[in-house]
Amino acid sequence: MVSSTPLTDDMLLEIFSHLPLNSTYKFKCLSKVWLSNLSHPEFITKWFKINSKSLPWIQYYSTNDRRVTDEHADKNRLIAKMAYPESHSGFMSRNDHLFSLKFLMNQKPSGAELLVLGSSNGLVLCSVILCPRRKKTDGLYHVCNPLTQEWVSLPPYIEGFGVSAIFCEHSSSFPSCFKVVRIREFETPSKKFIVDMFCSTLGVWESFQVSCDKNVVWGWSNKIVTLNGVLFWAEGGGMLVCDLNQKNGSGGRRCSLIDLPDRVLDVNEFGIFDSRIGESEGRVCYAKIKWTASGRGMTVSIWVLNEVKWKILHRNISLDNVLAELLSRIGEEAAPIRVLGFSPVDRNVILLGWKHWVWRLNIKTRSFEELRLDNRRVHDAGVMILPFALKPMPTVLPPPSW
């Protein structure tokens, strides 16, 4: 016998929390009430707790597009690309338009480029730069969630060179607070430097001085990780650690500088290695690959940061057989294959790349998989820059207070 008892809103929300995102997006269009119900932070948090294991991760990176043939165009035009494992194809085929960042393209000036800088808890930090590029940045940031297609533009910051990162504090009871931080460029090694930080709660940029017991060496490094409110930056001489939650003292804020592991290099190895810090399983990790002089032999080592000390996870694991297979696939005798980052869900898995190829390599099993690209067309891609792995989350952006 069919019950005539109508379903309450609470019962329907419980049902919706077990449905795919596609269905929830469709039901948002029913009425303003359901748009509000299905957009509420409590529902989104509940949906994420139930479905978090089924959400994929995506490798984002920017590259130079050298297919441009217009003599008046910038032949080094930056384009944002993504790659993902074959097992994520079902999710991506249903939601491909969500991750292209096309919904942000209309927000940038004509002729400008959108540079994807990094992510935290599902939020992505983007910067607008003009083309052709000027010596100074244009001072405009966007923070967006590619999963929900929400975005906000930040007030302009002080112009000048710098390295940037984002940290998002995920909350189950209210829209998330995020912080965007910029370390300003400094010319000579120094124990003091300036940092600009935007907090979504305050709605303004603040500048403060950071001091360190050791000299910090500026390096144009995109190796930045933010985790639990702490910024980790692999600069020229080691890794800088700065707590973004600490209060300004009379002398500003303080940070520490710790050595990166395996800094001593054999003379014959100088210049033929690549390294990167990243986040995996909620920990800061460091991977380093080395090539032989011929470029046909490769080893990899991985460390995990335990407070202020590095713990070795894999040391000098030979990848000669894997490298030979990769080179045969790309049709090269030798190639400077780079380490791009880590799988967010397995610290034994690193991401490798060269030109338009991206691979997922499991150090334990020595197995690898070529990731699918958002654009399969082969072209003469330039260097991959600013790579990071994004794990989609339905994080709610706070409404602008600025």
Side-chain angles (χ1 to χ4, degrees):
M1 180 176 178
V2 179
S3 174
S4 60
T5 304
L7 295 176
T8 64
D9 285 356
D10 289 341
M11 296 170 64
L12 288 173
L13 286 173
E14 181 65 31
I15 295 173
F16 288 143
S17 65
H18 293 269
L19 295 178
L21 280 179
N22 299 56
S23 299
T24 61
Y25 288 147
K26 291 178 181 178
F27 283 110
K28 282 184 179 182
C29 302
L30 289 178
S31 66
K32 292 183 178 180
V33 173
W34 279 108
L35 174 62
S36 175
N37 289 342
L38 298 178
S39 301
H40 197 278
E42 290 186 4
F43 170 78
I44 293 177
T45 301
K46 182 176 183 179
W47 185 95
F48 173 70
K49 288 181 178 179
I50 295 174
N51 299 277
S52 60
K53 292 184 178 180
S54 65
L55 286 174
W57 56 266
I58 301 164
Q59 170 71 29
Y60 260 115
Y61 62 95
S62 297
T63 184
N64 298 106
D65 186 358
R66 295 180 179 174
R67 294 173 296 174
V68 179
T69 57
D70 185 351
E71 62 179 1
H72 300 294
D74 183 356
K75 294 185 179 180
N76 289 318
R77 181 171 60 92
L78 291 173
I79 54 175
K81 299 183 70 66
M82 62 182 176
Y84 50 90
E86 183 67 34
S87 58
H88 298 348
S89 297
F91 182 90
M92 293 303 299
S93 63
R94 296 193 303 268
N95 302 283
D96 180 65
H97 67 286
L98 298 180
F99 302 97
S100 66
L101 301 181
K102 291 180 179 178
F103 61 94
L104 275 179
M105 295 306 177
N106 293 332
Q107 311 306 321
K108 62 183 182 64
S110 177
E113 297 173 354
L114 196 65
L115 184 60
V116 185
L117 300 175
S119 70
S120 176
N121 282 334
L123 298 187
V124 174
L125 175 65
C126 304
S127 177
V128 171
I129 58 175
L130 291 182
C131 181
R133 301 181 190 91
R134 299 188 299 184
K135 292 184 178 181
K136 293 185 177 181
T137 52
D138 300 295
L140 182 60
Y141 277 131
H142 296 302
V143 175
C144 69
N145 188 329
L147 188 64
T148 62
Q149 291 195 333
E150 296 178 318
W151 60 273
V152 293
S153 295
L154 308 191
Y157 54 79
I158 300 174
E159 288 190 350
F161 288 123
V163 291
S164 308
I166 181 173
F167 169 64
C168 172
E169 299 171 345
H170 185 72
S171 172
S172 60
S173 58
F174 51 85
S176 300
C177 168
F178 65 83
K179 296 177 181 178
V180 174
V181 61
R182 298 179 66 247
I183 303 176
R184 292 192 200 176
E185 181 186 18
F186 47 94
E187 296 181 355
T188 58
S190 176
K191 294 182 180 180
K192 296 181 180 180
F193 50 93
I194 301 299
V195 170
D196 307 312
M197 187 166 69
F198 178 88
C199 177
S200 61
T201 302
L202 301 177
V204 295
W205 285 95
E206 292 184 318
S207 299
F208 52 87
Q209 179 178 274
V210 175
S211 58
C212 185
D213 293 333
K214 302 178 182 179
N215 276 331
V216 178
V217 181
W218 175 267
W220 273 108
S221 170
N222 52 33
K223 303 168 186 176
I224 297 181
V225 173
T226 54
L227 185 63
N228 298 325
V230 180
L231 181 141
F232 303 87
W233 175 40
E235 48 78 70
M239 187 170 74
L240 182 141
V241 182
C242 182
D243 187 350
L244 302 178
N245 295 314
Q246 66 176 294
K247 301 297 183 181
N248 287 330
S250 58
R253 304 190 186 192
R254 297 196 59 81
C255 67
S256 59
L257 189 65
I258 62 177
D259 290 336
L260 291 171
D262 195 26
R263 292 186 62 190
V264 179
L265 294 174
D266 186 277
V267 175
N268 295 325
E269 294 176 348
F270 182 79
I272 49 175
F273 70 91
D274 191 38
S275 63
R276 184 164 299 279
I277 63 171
E279 177 189 349
S280 182
E281 300 181 59
R283 302 286 292 276
V284 176
C285 301
Y286 177 74
K288 185 174 186 177
I289 57 176
K290 303 177 185 177
W291 304 281
T292 59
S294 65
R296 299 186 64 84
M298 184 169 69
T299 62
V300 63
S301 300
I302 297 178
W303 294 262
V304 179
L305 187 64
N306 184 12
E307 294 184 350
V308 295
K309 295 184 178 180
W310 292 101
K311 178 182 178 181
I312 187 70
L313 187 62
H314 302 284
R315 183 186 294 277
N316 293 331
I317 305 299
S318 175
L319 298 177
D320 292 358
N321 293 335
V322 173
L323 179 62
E325 177 65 22
L326 296 182
L327 294 177
S328 67
R329 291 193 176 196
I330 64 181
E332 296 278 347
E333 293 185 0
I337 294 174
R338 301 176 56 213
V339 55
L340 302 181
F342 294 83
S343 160
V345 296
D346 189 346
R347 67 185 64 164
N348 296 297
V349 175
I350 61 173
L351 304 171
L352 303 176
W354 185 70
K355 287 190 175 180
H356 54 272
W357 283 279
V358 181
W359 301 279
R360 176 177 65 171
L361 173 65
N362 190 310
I363 307 300
K364 274 190 172 181
T365 63
R366 308 292 200 280
S367 61
F368 69 92
E369 174 191 1
E370 182 177 337
L371 302 190
R372 294 189 60 174
L373 303 180
D374 57 336
N375 185 349
R376 279 286 187 175
R377 182 165 41 171
V378 176
H379 61 280
D380 183 17
V383 177
M384 295 179 180
I385 61 174
L386 303 173
F388 65 91
L390 167 69
K391 194 173 190 302
M393 293 176 60
T395 304
V396 179
L397 275 167
S401 59
W402 50 90

